[in-house]
């Protein structure tokens, strides 16, 4: 195997590398930044004068530009609500976790020493900390390996053991490269990658990590635990690194300028809006998301008389806002509330899942309620 790699690397160097006599950086290179700004997240992009939505779009756009230079448009991947994607090494290497399918892919298009590059990326992925603030999704910065690994219990090595320490992660990486390495031809060369299966109950393993936080928020705001669990599963599949183009962050996909601002003003008595780093913290995120459900229940939708109808309405409003819920019934808010109160819960449910102005919101209510039933049966 080693001999084959030496032959492969020699061929790659001859055909694919730069004409420079200096080999390209293998790993832990100086991070690639667009400018010399002082922002610690997103490669130094100056987002100080942008709204949150503008800032997240700018960060994602910059990352996309850099990654596409290495991977091309067809193979580009970006982090999302149910998908973790982290680039390294001048954007030539990436880790991709699909939380819905329970698969981890670590890949590189590096032309110099891809084996060593892959090993380092596998180790960083397996040992990345549970604290999302330590992981910059918007640049190619390395991940500091400290604290309890986020994937602990969600992945087993080839000896069916948990992976908590660097020596075990390195050993497993060697095994994967020796036995599971795959290649894929790309328009710009060859990608080298390994695929790692997560354990069958990986979702439950992530749920356990946040059980205490959910219980605390439930007691504080009077929102049932099963509803909080259902919202988190719908929004992120318990992915604390979740981001969206709308500028939502974390487990419950809180948008700072809407739900976040309301919670700061109406519950926390704080000025301004929560920051990205604040919302990437799982404790803050679950607290803020649950507090917003409390606001919907006790303030914005307090005039909904039937408790079941109110429950349906607040779930729908978490996704699309109170205005979206009321516009399902009438363009005038007061008339809409009156019409809503005249309906039976099953009629309100039908309207919200068939007549809501946004298709996503129609499906959202159905998903959350189905997940809520699952958590109620546990």
């Amino acid at each position: 195997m080693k001999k084959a790699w030496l032959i492969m690397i020699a061929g790659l160097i001859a055909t694919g590398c730069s004409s420079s006599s200096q080999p390209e950086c293998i790993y832990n290179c100086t991070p690639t930044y667009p400018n010399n700004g002082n922002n610690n997240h997103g490669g130094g992009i100056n987002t100080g004068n942008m709204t949150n939505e503008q800032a997240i779009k700018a960060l994602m756009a910059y990352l996309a530009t850099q990654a596409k230079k290495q991977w091309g448009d067809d193979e580009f991947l970006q982090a999302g609500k149910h998908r973790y994607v982290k680039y390294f090494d001048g954007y030539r290497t990436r880790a991709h976790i699909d939380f819905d399918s329970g698969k981890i892919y670590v890949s590189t298009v590096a032309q110099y020493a891809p084996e060593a590059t892959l090993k380092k990326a596998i180790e960083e992925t397996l040992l990345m900390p549970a604290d999302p603030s330590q992981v910059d999704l918007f640049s190619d910065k390395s991940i500091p390996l400290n604290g309890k690994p986020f994937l602990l219990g969600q992945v087993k090595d080839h000896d069916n053991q948990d992976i908590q320490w660097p020596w075990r992660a390195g050993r497993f990486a060697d095994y994967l490269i020796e036995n599971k390495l795959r290649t894929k031809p790309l328009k710009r060369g060859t990608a080298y990658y390994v695929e790692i299966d997560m354990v069958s109950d990986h979702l439950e393993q992530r749920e356990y990590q946040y059980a205490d936080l959910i219980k605390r928020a439930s007691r504080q705001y009077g929102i049932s635990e099963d509803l909080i669990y259902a919202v988190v599963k719908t929004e992120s599949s318990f992915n604390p690194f979740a981001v969206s183009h709308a500028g939502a962050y974390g487990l419950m996909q809180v948008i700072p300028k809407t739900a976040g601002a309301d919670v700061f003003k109406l519950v926390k008595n704080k000025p301004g809006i929560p920051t990205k780093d604040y919302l990437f913290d799982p404790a803050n995120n679950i607290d803020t998301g649950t507090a917003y459900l409390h606001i919907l229940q006790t303030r914005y939708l307090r005039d909904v008389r039937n408790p079941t109808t109110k429950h349906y309405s607040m779930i729908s409003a978490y996704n699309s806002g109170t205005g979206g819920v009321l516009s399902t019934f009438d363009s005038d808010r007061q008339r809409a509330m009156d019409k809503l109160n005249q309906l039976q819960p099953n009629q309100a449910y039908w309207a919200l899942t068939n007549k809501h102005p946004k298709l996503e919101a129609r499906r959202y209510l159905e998903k959350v309620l189905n997940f809520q039933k699952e958590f109620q049966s546990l």
Side-chain angles (χ1 to χ4, degrees):
M1 183 68 182
K2 298 292 184 183
K3 182 178 180 181
W5 264 102
L6 289 173
I7 294 172
M8 183 182 296
I9 292 170
L12 288 171
I13 292 173
T15 60
C17 291
S18 168
S19 60
S20 169
S21 61
Q22 295 294 324
E24 61 180 298
C25 179
I26 298 177
Y27 213 85
N28 286 338
C29 320
T30 301
T32 305
Y33 294 153
N35 59 45
N36 294 321
N38 295 320
N39 188 338
N40 291 326
H41 297 276
I45 294 176
N46 182 7
T47 58
N49 295 323
M50 298 181 184
T51 65
N52 174 72
E53 187 174 350
Q54 290 171 333
I56 193 72
K57 286 182 177 179
L59 292 171
M60 287 184 167
Y62 174 75
L63 183 146
T65 299
Q66 299 305 311
K68 286 177 181 179
K69 290 178 183 177
Q70 304 298 331
W71 294 83
D73 291 347
D74 293 342
E75 294 296 325
F76 169 67
L77 287 177
Q78 197 163 58
K81 295 170 66 173
H82 297 243
R83 181 171 66 192
Y84 168 95
V85 178
K86 174 73 178 97
Y87 286 89
F88 311 94
D89 186 39
Y91 300 91
R92 290 180 288 264
T93 304
R94 73 176 176 219
H96 166 209
I97 304 175
D98 186 330
F99 289 103
D100 288 335
S101 67
K103 296 283 188 179
I104 301 172
Y105 307 90
V106 185
S107 316
T108 189
V109 292
Q111 301 300 288
Y112 176 78
E115 186 177 30
T117 303
L118 266 185
K119 179 177 180 178
K120 185 66 176 176
I122 293 168
E123 291 172 346
E124 286 199 19
T125 302
L126 295 172
L127 296 174
M128 67 177 176
D131 178 6
S133 69
Q134 299 295 307
V135 181
D136 186 357
L137 296 178
F138 303 107
S139 80
D140 61 339
K141 289 182 180 179
S142 270
I143 300 172
L145 304 183
N146 50 55
K148 178 183 176 182
F150 168 68
L151 289 173
L152 184 63
Q154 300 179 60
V155 179
K156 302 285 187 179
D157 69 5
H158 53 297
D159 293 325
N160 199 35
Q161 298 297 311
D162 287 333
I163 303 168
Q164 186 171 6
W165 310 110
W167 69 268
R168 188 172 288 280
R171 187 167 167 264
F172 187 38
D174 287 335
Y175 168 83
L176 290 169
I177 292 170
E178 187 71 25
N179 297 280
K180 304 291 185 179
L181 182 69
R182 301 180 187 179
T183 61
K184 180 179 180 179
L186 305 180
K187 291 180 180 178
R188 305 186 183 190
T190 301
Y192 305 88
Y193 71 98
V194 296
E195 177 182 326
I196 306 170
D197 289 321
M198 302 175 76
V199 297
S200 59
D201 63 342
H202 63 92
L203 179 64
E204 288 80 3
Q205 293 293 330
R206 292 196 298 283
E207 292 170 13
Y208 299 150
Q209 294 188 33
Y210 309 113
D212 289 343
L213 298 177
I214 290 174
K215 181 175 292 187
R216 183 192 313 162
S218 172
R219 290 175 176 173
Q220 182 171 355
Y221 298 111
I223 302 296
S224 66
E225 290 184 38
D226 52 77
L227 176 57
I228 303 171
Y229 274 111
V231 170
V232 175
K233 184 174 180 178
T234 304
E235 292 288 356
S236 68
S237 288
F238 293 86
N239 167 22
F241 306 94
V243 294
S244 78
H245 283 85
Y249 300 108
L251 292 161
M252 296 186 75
Q253 285 293 277
V254 179
I255 297 179
K257 69 178 182 180
T258 54
D262 281 352
V263 170
F264 267 27
K265 178 182 178 181
L266 302 174
V267 178
K268 303 294 185 182
N269 295 317
K270 291 182 177 181
I273 64 175
T275 64
K276 171 166 62 71
D277 290 342
Y278 180 92
L279 291 175
F280 267 137
D281 180 277
N284 293 335
N285 193 281
I286 290 172
D287 178 85
T288 305
T290 307
Y292 185 61
L293 286 170
H294 170 76
I295 291 171
L296 292 171
Q297 183 182 61
T298 61
R299 187 181 182 95
Y300 295 151
L301 294 167
R302 66 180 181 273
D303 293 333
V304 181
R305 291 194 290 266
N306 186 287
T308 303
T309 301
K310 180 181 288 189
H311 186 71
Y312 296 158
S313 299
M314 62 187 279
I315 292 172
S316 186
Y318 189 88
N319 175 261
S320 64
T322 307
V325 170
L326 295 178
S327 65
T328 303
F329 304 96
D330 200 288
S331 59
D332 179 84
R333 294 175 73 94
Q334 186 56 55
R335 286 199 303 266
M337 185 63 71
D338 292 340
K339 290 180 180 180
L340 181 58
N341 280 322
Q342 292 170 14
L343 299 177
Q344 294 298 314
N346 64 318
Q347 294 173 316
Y349 173 82
W350 184 90
L352 290 170
T353 54
N354 287 272
K355 296 297 184 180
H356 193 290
K358 294 184 178 179
L359 178 60
E360 178 188 352
R362 300 177 197 174
R363 294 173 177 171
Y364 186 84
L365 175 57
E366 185 177 4
K367 287 180 182 178
V368 172
L369 289 174
N370 286 334
F371 287 149
Q372 191 175 8
K373 290 177 183 177
E374 293 179 13
F375 287 109
Q376 286 172 344
S377 64
L378 296 179

